Amino acid sequence: MAVTELKITLMGLARKLADNDLISEFDADNAVKEALNKKIPLVTYLVNEELVLSKDIANIISKEFRIPLLDINSFELNQEVIKLIELKMLSEHHVLPLFIRGKNLFVAVSDSTDLLVLDGIKGIKFKTKMRVEPILVEEDKLAKKIEWAVEACDDTMKDLTGDLDDIELVDENEDDGEDEKNEADEAPVVKFINKMLFDAIKAGASDLHFEPYEKYYRVRFRVDGMLRTITEPPIGLARKLAARLKVMSRLDVSERRVPQDGRIKLKISATKAIDFRVSTCPILWGEKIVMRILDSSAANLNIDILGYEEEQKRLYLEALDNPYGMVLVTGPTGSGKTVSLYTGINILNKEGVNISTAEDPVEINLPGVNQVQIDEKTGMTFDKALKAFLRQDPDIILVGEIRDITTGSIAIKAASTGHMVMSTLHTNDAPQTLTRLIDMGLAPFAIATAVNLIMAQRLCRRLCSCKREDVIPEHSLILEGFTEEAIRDPDFKLYQPGGCDKCSGTGYKGRVGIYQVMPISDEMKRLIMEGSNAIGIADQAKREGIPDLRESGLKKVGRGLTSLAEVNRVVNKD
């Protein structure tokens, strides 16, 4: 195409903009020259330089040249249609194929008068052997869609997915009879998500975070309680990643305004399947998706390796020996409460005992235990499950969490009428658990007579074998809470994290529990019935020689199981 011919065409639009007082004549002439020099459409130059608003340009072209203006965001892009032409042509000629009707291919353009664009349309017509119909859209919206299309249809994901040929990862939620399944599974996004799930399982992660931001997208794993960034796929794939995860979780793909919850069951081998609990949440730049890995086979229910001190283990086992009463475990999300409870359930799980559990969700599958999945959508709540259990001749009842007065009152009544009840709460330590129950509205007398034992717990990262000896002055150790007796113990030795390939350079590998195991003594019961607060109960626990969470953590530090920095991260000094 001759430059003169192209310049005349560009000047036609530029004059129309100047005539409508959207741009000065000087800026119009200069814009035409710059667009020619840069070999880009005039509309693109005007919008990029913020000389004229995209919607104003589109309205002028539509009005002056009598071309209908449509909103490109109302079209659902189809990768198969886009791939009919080379991706390079999309950016070069600033066009985007939208859909096919019969033998007509409809293509989005932001300036149907630009000869560069018209050349692109001719090229598409030649490539596809179809009649090409231009659709006028706004420039800024078209530019975003072209960027998305190039990223989504490109092979960018190949660098992120790697070789997945040796991985068997089957989504049991999908229809096995789908004829096109194998073809769909080759899509880069599908392969990328499969790789992320497999890598998370392999790394021993507890959670996966898929997070969109304005300029980038990141995937993070929580390993040993700490989040770390694994990869940053192209931001243009944010919606496709969210859509794929929602399809796998059987969620509403079209709903992006409200949170949704779902589950994925993945078969990773002939004998093993892993569940993922999926939660979506709309944020400023898209949808954040968090997946909790529910791998019951990974949970070790051996009480001897969970990190209890000998005295703490004895107190827990004594509480389990009681025929009735309540055992409560407290701590933040991800502190291992479920494993502690199921360790106790596993000890009690014998032929002559009827055990029922109500959980949201069921994280550990245990043969011989009647497990109920709580689902508020269907009306199966904790209190309804508890009422049903009491008509099922129970010996032991496990309630996933006491969330309200209704559930709490039923659980306490069950514990006071000949049943062993085990449950969890979210409080900072054991003494606060008692006052939390009172704050719910439960009667102090009922709490005092029903509760036998409260355990507060945290999980600290365990030092890797690459750990290095640490030297800290004695006065500093005293300030941290160590006793002089502990410091002078011949076995007392402090370590700090090193860093090796085994622990990915973090210095930590695995986790160890720290606990406050507090049996409810007669004196504590009296304090509860007198309305004492958490401070009064904590003081009584100290008088009875019950170590708090920090004291338990410092014992682990003195034995070289974890570092002082890690305990300080997990537990307050005071």
Side-chain angles (χ1 to χ4, degrees):
M1 180 189 300
V3 174
T4 305
E5 185 183 5
L6 178 56
K7 185 173 182 180
I8 292 170
T9 307
L10 296 182
M11 281 305 301
L13 174 59
R15 285 201 185 96
K16 293 295 181 184
L17 296 173
D19 290 344
N20 284 273
D21 297 325
L22 294 173
I23 191 173
S24 68
E25 289 188 10
F26 173 81
D27 285 340
D29 289 337
N30 186 61
V32 170
K33 293 174 185 175
E34 290 298 323
L36 283 170
N37 289 336
K38 295 183 178 181
K39 296 181 180 180
I40 61 174
L42 174 62
V43 174
T44 303
Y45 178 81
L46 291 171
V47 173
N48 288 350
E49 297 298 319
E50 299 181 355
L51 295 172
V52 188
L53 292 176
S54 178
K55 64 178 181 178
D56 290 338
I57 299 174
N59 286 328
I60 288 294
I61 294 173
S62 177
K63 178 182 174 183
E64 296 291 338
F65 300 98
R66 296 183 182 178
I67 301 170
L69 172 63
L70 300 175
D71 183 6
I72 194 172
N73 290 335
S74 64
F75 293 94
E76 191 69 35
L77 297 187
N78 186 324
Q79 284 192 41
E80 298 307 314
V81 175
I82 295 169
K83 287 180 179 177
L84 289 174
I85 64 172
E86 294 177 9
L87 296 179
K88 183 181 177 183
M89 189 178 284
L90 302 186
S91 302
E92 220 172 69
H93 296 288
H94 218 57
V95 294
L96 183 63
L98 294 177
F99 58 90
I100 298 171
R101 291 251 176 93
K103 292 186 178 181
N104 295 331
L105 175 62
F106 291 83
V107 176
V109 300
S110 60
D111 181 4
S112 57
T113 68
D114 191 329
L115 297 183
L116 275 175
V117 174
L118 294 176
D119 269 0
I121 290 175
K122 289 177 184 176
I124 294 173
K125 185 176 180 180
F126 177 78
K127 286 272 187 184
T128 62
K129 309 298 182 188
M130 303 178 79
R131 182 180 175 184
V132 179
E133 298 285 350
I135 293 177
L136 183 64
V137 299
E138 293 177 33
E139 161 62 24
D140 54 351
K141 293 180 180 178
L142 176 61
K144 287 180 181 178
K145 289 292 184 181
I146 290 175
E147 181 185 357
W148 179 91
V150 171
E151 288 179 337
C153 298
D154 200 358
D155 292 332
T156 328
M157 299 298 291
K158 286 183 179 177
D159 294 336
L160 299 172
T161 56
D163 185 6
L164 295 178
D165 293 339
D166 297 331
I167 299 174
E168 181 187 357
L169 196 58
V170 181
D171 179 8
E172 294 191 352
N173 285 350
E174 291 189 344
D175 183 6
D176 291 335
E178 188 180 352
D179 292 335
E180 304 299 326
K181 182 175 181 182
N182 291 335
E183 184 179 342
D185 280 349
E186 294 303 315
V189 168
V190 176
K191 294 185 75 174
F192 172 70
I193 288 176
N194 286 352
K195 177 173 170 56
M196 288 298 98
L197 300 184
F198 183 84
D199 286 352
I201 295 165
K202 193 175 177 182
S206 60
D207 303 86
L208 297 83
H209 292 236
F210 293 82
E211 302 168 315
Y213 297 97
E214 182 181 12
K215 301 292 186 184
Y216 68 99
Y217 190 101
R218 70 178 176 186
V219 180
R220 294 192 292 172
F221 293 172
R222 188 179 292 278
V223 180
D224 293 338
M226 299 293 287
L227 281 168
R228 63 171 182 250
T229 300
I230 301 302
T231 185
E232 293 186 5
I235 184 62
L237 293 171
R239 278 201 174 185
K240 292 191 70 63
L241 292 171
R244 173 59 185 168
L245 289 168
K246 286 159 80 172
V247 166
M248 294 174 73
S249 313
R250 295 187 174 178
L251 300 177
D252 185 352
V253 177
S254 63
E255 181 56 79
R256 304 187 187 100
R257 298 165 297 176
V258 296
Q260 297 186 70
D261 294 304
R263 289 174 74 94
I264 297 173
K265 188 176 185 67
L266 288 177
K267 183 180 179 183
I268 61 173
S269 70
T271 58
K272 185 175 181 180
I274 291 179
D275 288 332
F276 293 80
R277 184 178 69 198
V278 182
S279 171
T280 75
C281 182
I283 60 174
L284 191 59
W285 303 106
E287 285 181 283
K288 173 170 179 173
I289 298 179
V290 176
M291 307 175 69
R292 166 65 59 89
I293 299 176
L294 308 175
D295 183 8
S296 57
S297 64
N300 197 318
L301 303 180
N302 184 343
I303 194 170
D304 291 320
I305 67 169
L306 293 184
Y308 291 101
E309 304 293 334
E310 284 302 317
E311 177 64 12
Q312 292 174 337
K313 183 172 80 170
R314 184 187 67 79
L315 291 171
Y316 188 21
L317 293 174
E318 280 183 2
L320 295 175
D321 279 340
N322 290 325
Y324 57 86
M326 183 179 282
V327 172
L328 295 172
V329 181
T330 182
T333 302
S335 59
K337 299 188 297 294
T338 301
V339 172
S340 291
L341 284 177
Y342 262 87
T343 298
I345 289 289
N346 194 44
I347 292 169
L348 298 170
N349 187 16
K350 297 182 173 63
E351 183 185 356
V353 178
N354 179 22
I355 304 175
S356 296
T357 76
E359 302 165 79
D360 182 20
V362 175
E363 295 188 28
I364 299 172
N365 298 321
L366 203 58
V369 175
N370 308 295
Q371 296 170 284
V372 172
Q373 172 72 50
I374 296 302
D375 187 352
E376 294 190 1
K377 290 180 182 177
T378 62
M380 178 56 78
T381 58
F382 280 115
D383 56 303
K384 285 189 178 179
L386 268 173
K387 288 175 182 176
F389 290 165
L390 293 174
R391 295 191 290 270
Q392 293 267 313
D393 184 29
D395 294 305
I396 299 161
I397 296 172
L398 186 149
V399 186
E401 182 184 351
I402 295 178
R403 296 178 179 173
D404 51 51
I405 186 172
T406 306
T407 307
S409 59
I410 298 171
I412 280 183
K413 285 176 185 175
S416 303
T417 54
H419 305 97
M420 165 66 72
V421 178
M422 306 176 76
S423 189
T424 71
L425 262 83
H426 287 90
T427 57
N428 288 328
D429 59 19
Q432 288 185 33
T433 305
L434 294 168
T435 54
R436 172 81 179 103
L437 292 172
I438 294 170
D439 290 342
M440 276 186 187
L442 298 172
F445 175 81
I447 297 169
T449 54
V451 180
N452 290 339
L453 182 82
I454 301 175
M455 289 196 302
Q457 66 181 74
R458 299 288 188 278
L459 289 177
C460 281
R461 289 180 294 171
R462 187 187 292 266
L463 284 167
C464 180
S465 56
C466 62
K467 62 187 179 183
R468 305 192 308 266
E469 192 169 342
D470 196 7
V471 178
I472 300 175
E474 186 173 322
H475 70 275
S476 297
L477 294 176
I478 298 293
L479 291 174
E480 291 287 346
F482 288 97
T483 63
E484 292 185 6
E485 182 184 359
I487 295 170
R488 292 190 173 90
D489 189 309
D491 296 327
F492 181 84
K493 191 170 284 189
L494 301 179
Y495 292 90
Q496 59 181 313
C500 65
D501 292 339
K502 186 179 176 183
C503 61
S504 302
T506 63
Y508 299 96
K509 187 71 174 175
R511 290 193 285 180
V512 62
I514 58 175
Y515 305 89
Q516 179 184 24
V517 181
M518 187 178 84
I520 307 304
S521 64
D522 291 340
E523 184 60 26
M524 284 187 190
K525 290 179 181 180
R526 185 183 63 79
L527 289 172
I528 295 166
M529 288 187 281
E530 289 177 355
S532 180
N533 58 23
I535 296 173
I537 296 168
D539 288 340
Q540 178 59 31
K542 185 170 283 189
R543 285 192 291 271
E544 294 179 14
I546 297 169
D548 60 21
L549 282 168
R550 182 159 187 84
E551 289 174 287
S552 296
L554 293 179
K555 286 183 180 179
K556 300 287 193 300
V557 173
R559 294 208 298 272
L561 296 175
T562 189
S563 68
L564 181 57
E566 179 67 6
V567 169
N568 285 339
R569 182 184 70 84
V570 173
V571 185
N572 290 335
K573 290 185 181 182
D574 49 342

